[in-house]
């Protein structure tokens, strides 16, 4: 079974600065997908960014980018120019190719952006 | 926009009650999922369904059952609610090819007293 580990339960960052959230996973599969989801206080889970394991290029979505290290099974999220609206829980998630499209989530990181 | 609607935002039930949590999606997604969210544990999969009348157990199905009589609706049933089922419950849906990720509902915070 796959496992996803987020080692930072809580983090804080000053507005306009950069922060990196860590995620590691364990799998024996070669092809899979990785996701970062954001859950603001409104509780609505929002997809932030996704990465396909067979693509070597790191995914980028505006201020959000990932550092995908396949050999190390690491998938960190970098948030540049942090904004107050980035305050949320962030979940890393794994989807295998033969997992019936099930997502396995990490325990989450609570990010606080301070003014 | 795809919408996943959960019928209740907050719910308080008594121990031993039968509880129904309803979820409806409006984009013809094949897959539907029920997760529970607890601090430090992230989201854990209870049940999922990849078609009408089909259901599969997730990681923590004990004490729960599900029903999917129509494609757009996926119900989670707590047969006899217990205090350890106090949690946030999240419903999600996705296309059969899941790379697009899930669309989530806003969650139901259930308290069992």
């Amino acid at each position: 079974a796959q496992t996803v580990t987020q080692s930072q339960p809580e983090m804080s960052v000053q507005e306009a600065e950069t922060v990196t959230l860590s995620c590691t996973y364990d799998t024996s599969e070669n092809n899979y997908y990785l996701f970062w989801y954001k859950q603001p206080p409104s509780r609505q889970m929002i997809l932030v960014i996704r990465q396909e394991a067979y693509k070597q290029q790191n995914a980028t979505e505006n201020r959000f980018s990932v550092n995908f290290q396949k050999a190390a099974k690491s998938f960190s999220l970098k948030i540049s120019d942090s904004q107050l609206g980035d305050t949320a829980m962030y979940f890393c998630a794994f989807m295998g190719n033969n997992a019936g499209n099930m997502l396995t989530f990490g325990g989450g990181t609570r990010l606080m952006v301070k003014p | 926009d795809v919408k996943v609607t959960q019928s209740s935002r907050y719910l308080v039930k008594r121990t031993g009650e039968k509880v129904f949590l309803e979820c409806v999606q409006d984009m013809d997604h094949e897959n539907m999922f029920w997760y529970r969210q607890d601090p430090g544990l992230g989201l854990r999969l209870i049940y999922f369904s990849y078609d009408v009348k089909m259901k599969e157990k997730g990681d923590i199905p004990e004490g729960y059952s599900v029903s999917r009589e129509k494609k757009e609706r996926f119900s989670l049933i707590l047969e006899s609610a217990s205090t350890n089922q106090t949690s946030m419950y999240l419903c999600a849906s996705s296309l059969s090819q899941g790379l697009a990720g899930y669309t989530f509902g806003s969650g139901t915070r259930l308290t069992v007293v």
Side-chain angles (χ1 to χ4, degrees):
Chain A
Q2 287 82 12
T3 58
V4 179
T5 302
Q6 294 178 247
S7 58
Q8 305 148 316
E10 293 187 357
M11 293 189 73
S12 63
V13 62
Q14 291 296 133
E15 195 175 6
E17 294 188 347
T18 295
V19 64
T20 298
L21 309 184
S22 301
C23 173
T24 58
Y25 57 93
D26 186 23
T27 184
S28 58
E29 297 184 44
N30 192 46
N31 292 323
Y32 47 86
Y33 308 100
L34 295 161
F35 303 82
W36 278 98
Y37 279 89
K38 169 186 177 181
Q39 186 183 43
S42 68
R43 299 178 354 197
Q44 184 67 55
M45 294 276 279
I46 302 163
L47 177 63
V48 175
I49 198 165
R50 56 175 162 247
Q51 174 82 40
E52 299 165 48
Y54 64 86
K55 288 187 176 179
Q56 293 186 341
Q57 186 173 4
N58 288 325
T60 299
E61 291 286 343
N62 301 314
R63 297 183 295 109
F64 299 88
S65 62
V66 298
N67 182 6
F68 173 48
Q69 302 289 330
K70 191 172 183 180
K73 296 180 182 175
S74 171
F75 183 61
S76 60
L77 175 69
K78 185 172 82 171
I79 306 173
S80 303
D81 185 25
S82 297
Q83 300 176 358
L84 296 178
D86 295 334
T87 292
M89 283 289 293
Y90 287 83
F91 292 96
C92 178
F94 172 98
M95 180 187 292
N97 250 340
N98 55 358
N101 294 318
M102 290 182 292
L103 278 173
T104 299
F105 288 85
T109 296
R110 184 176 301 279
L111 176 67
M112 172 74 72
V113 179
K114 298 180 178 179
Chain B
D1 283 349
V2 177
K3 278 194 174 176
V4 177
T5 303
Q6 293 184 232
S7 53
S8 303
R9 192 164 174 84
Y10 297 94
L11 212 52
V12 179
K13 294 292 182 180
R14 295 193 179 277
T15 301
E17 277 193 76
K18 190 169 186 176
V19 181
F20 292 85
L21 302 184
E22 305 288 346
C23 176
V24 177
Q25 52 97 1
D26 66 0
M27 281 299 289
D28 205 35
H29 281 177
E30 292 85 2
N31 301 330
M32 295 189 76
F33 307 85
W34 275 107
Y35 286 83
R36 64 176 281 175
Q37 180 181 356
D38 299 288
L41 298 178
L43 281 70
R44 293 178 292 166
L45 182 64
I46 305 171
Y47 267 97
F48 71 100
S49 168
Y50 52 87
D51 202 352
V52 177
K53 297 192 186 294
M54 305 302 291
K55 60 184 179 183
E56 294 287 342
K57 293 180 180 179
D59 298 320
I60 52 165
E62 296 79 17
Y64 303 94
S65 62
V66 291
S67 172
R68 194 169 181 198
E69 296 297 318
K70 295 184 178 181
K71 190 174 185 179
E72 67 270 20
R73 185 180 296 270
F74 192 37
S75 304
L76 179 70
I77 304 155
L78 286 65
E79 297 291 343
S80 177
S82 64
T83 55
N84 63 12
Q85 292 178 310
T86 291
S87 186
M88 172 78 77
Y89 290 87
L90 289 169
C91 176
S93 70
S94 75
L95 293 168
S96 58
Q97 296 301 317
L99 179 59
Y102 293 1
T103 300
F104 283 87
S106 297
T108 296
R109 188 174 296 281
L110 172 68
T111 302
V112 182
V113 298

